[in-house]
Amino acid sequence: MNRRVLAELAFVLAFSIHGWAQGDVTVIRVGAFPNITHAQPMVGKANGWFEKALGSSVKVQWTSFNAGPSAIEALFAGAIDMTYVGPNPAITGYARSNGEVLRVIAGAASGGASLVVRNDSGIQKPEDFHGKKVASPQMGNTQDVALRAWLKAHGMKSTDKGGDVQVIQLANPDQLTLFVKKHLDAAWAPEPWPTRLVHEGNARVFLDERDLWPQGQFVTTHLIVSTKFLREHPDLVRKWIAAHVELTDWINGHLPEAKKMLNQQLQKETGKGLNSAVLDEAFGRLQVTYDPVRNSLLTSAHSAFDAGFLGRQMPDLSGMYDLTLLNQVLAEKGKKAIQ
């Protein structure tokens, strides 16, 4: 575990201990990232959507993470109860615990990740990545696995696997800083960072990840819960899912207002909001959804296994999803069930 993960986990533990010492109020501790691909938690934080839906007897304690592996470590440590997270950290966490620690209970976003290259990096085609420095948010996170799978598909490997492409794990804001300084050649990142790299880091989109998937759909973010919390508080989890579905529909039906709220929250958490052009362009590369796009996860799992993140044997992921509560909510709202 690197220093950033340890620091984030220590922060979470400190606040989670404080959070539970609040009398009879039930505390639900939720993780999320300050990214556009986490639209529901960002907008939900900004307008208090979940707090209103859960009522005054429930307190929502939010924790912000840079990338998925940190959130999974916090879930393992019992420091959070559920989190919005990408597929590959969830897969790794599920496999590590032999399917005991977590379940996927809803989707959040499809799309919204790209491979971006610096305009003066000399990269024009895949083969030009030989000898280059390419960033991903964190070792084993969803974009890191996607990058390694793409390199392998084009006959390349990272230096830690005996190849000549230097894959560097950097928080998304740090990627932008190093692009400007010309210390990075490329990055695979979630929105809004690819668009910010284009507008602020002299870069261009080399590959929109949607182009690699059928119908351009693949899970970028879904909602997972600890099995302990799901077992002990199913009614609370159901209320959260209902609020999540309603918020998803609200965002899609009120995009201008939703994007404004999301941007305000990004500014609050990262210190800088997005101009309207960046916001619109970034949001245009993803779909806000409660569908976990289940079929894409197995492909991601095989990529993670090939990259060495899932041990010596491909894990059985058949029990990873529990969409029972989601489908109950959808049925009540007259919506089609998710398989």
Side-chain angles (χ1 to χ4, degrees):
M1 200 183 306
N2 63 31
R3 290 182 178 178
R4 179 180 291 275
V5 177
L6 286 170
E8 288 181 345
L9 186 53
F11 178 85
V12 175
L13 285 168
F15 274 82
S16 65
I17 292 170
H18 171 75
W20 278 108
Q22 297 181 24
D24 295 330
V25 174
T26 301
V27 179
I28 180 169
R29 305 162 302 171
V30 187
F33 312 165
N35 293 336
I36 287 179
T37 53
H38 287 231
Q40 294 96 329
M42 291 299 102
V43 173
K45 284 186 186 183
N47 66 7
W49 187 283
F50 293 101
E51 287 85 350
K52 294 172 187 174
L54 294 170
S56 59
S57 63
V58 179
K59 176 178 174 58
V60 180
Q61 181 178 297
W62 294 97
T63 300
S64 183
F65 296 95
N66 169 67
S70 302
I72 296 299
E73 291 297 338
L75 194 77
F76 268 58
I80 58 174
D81 305 306
M82 63 172 65
T83 186
Y84 290 84
V85 71
N88 288 102
I91 292 166
T92 302
Y94 183 84
R96 277 177 55 192
S97 68
N98 295 315
E100 294 182 2
V101 168
L102 64 87
R103 293 291 183 271
V104 177
I105 54 175
S110 169
S114 300
L115 174 60
V116 177
V117 300
R118 212 180 69 243
N119 282 322
D120 52 358
S121 65
I123 298 174
Q124 300 296 329
K125 54 188 183 300
E127 305 87 82
D128 295 334
F129 277 82
H130 284 291
K132 300 298 184 181
K133 294 180 180 179
V134 189
S136 68
Q138 192 171 353
M139 176 73 76
N141 98 306
T142 299
Q143 287 76 48
D144 184 70
V145 171
L147 169 60
R148 292 170 189 274
W150 184 83
L151 289 173
K152 181 180 178 182
H154 290 86
M156 291 175 281
K157 296 179 182 178
S158 57
T159 52
D160 59 307
K161 298 294 183 181
D164 64 353
V165 181
Q166 189 173 350
V167 176
I168 304 169
Q169 283 72 46
L170 288 169
N172 295 307
D174 296 336
Q175 294 178 13
L176 177 56
T177 300
L178 293 188
F179 256 73
V180 172
K181 293 181 178 180
K182 299 185 179 183
H183 293 171
L184 273 180
D185 300 301
W188 201 305
E191 293 293 353
W193 298 101
T195 303
R196 285 193 63 178
L197 289 170
V198 168
H199 285 256
E200 304 172 45
N202 185 33
R204 70 181 188 281
V205 174
F206 183 87
L207 174 68
D208 185 325
E209 192 177 340
R210 290 178 298 177
D211 295 339
L212 300 177
W213 296 90
Q215 289 80 52
Q217 293 187 328
F218 65 99
V219 57
T220 311
T221 310
H222 51 208
L223 176 61
I224 68 172
V225 65
S226 78
T227 52
K228 181 178 185 293
F229 192 81
L230 178 60
R231 182 175 61 253
E232 294 177 354
H233 300 280
D235 292 343
L236 186 55
V237 175
R238 191 179 189 280
K239 286 182 180 180
W240 187 280
I241 292 173
H244 173 81
V245 170
E246 291 165 2
L247 180 53
T248 300
D249 288 341
W250 185 87
I251 290 171
N252 286 322
H254 302 80
L255 276 178
E257 186 178 356
K259 286 192 286 188
K260 182 179 179 180
M261 287 183 179
L262 189 153
N263 203 22
Q264 290 172 344
Q265 191 63 32
L266 291 179
Q267 181 170 8
K268 181 178 180 181
E269 296 196 27
T270 68
K272 184 174 183 180
L274 306 173
N275 66 48
S276 58
V278 170
L279 184 61
D280 291 341
E281 184 179 333
F283 220 86
R285 292 197 179 101
L286 64 91
Q287 177 188 2
V288 180
T289 179
Y290 48 77
D291 185 341
V293 199
R294 188 172 186 167
N295 289 339
S296 70
L297 182 130
L298 187 59
T299 300
S300 295
H302 281 289
S303 296
F305 177 71
D306 290 343
F309 293 118
L310 296 179
R312 297 181 179 180
Q313 184 175 350
M314 180 66 192
D316 178 6
L317 303 177
S318 59
M320 188 169 171
Y321 289 84
D322 187 344
L323 304 182
T324 304
L325 297 178
L326 173 62
N327 283 325
Q328 286 178 8
V329 168
L330 296 178
E332 286 186 358
K333 298 179 180 299
K335 295 177 178 289
K336 184 179 179 181
I338 302 295
Q339 301 301 319

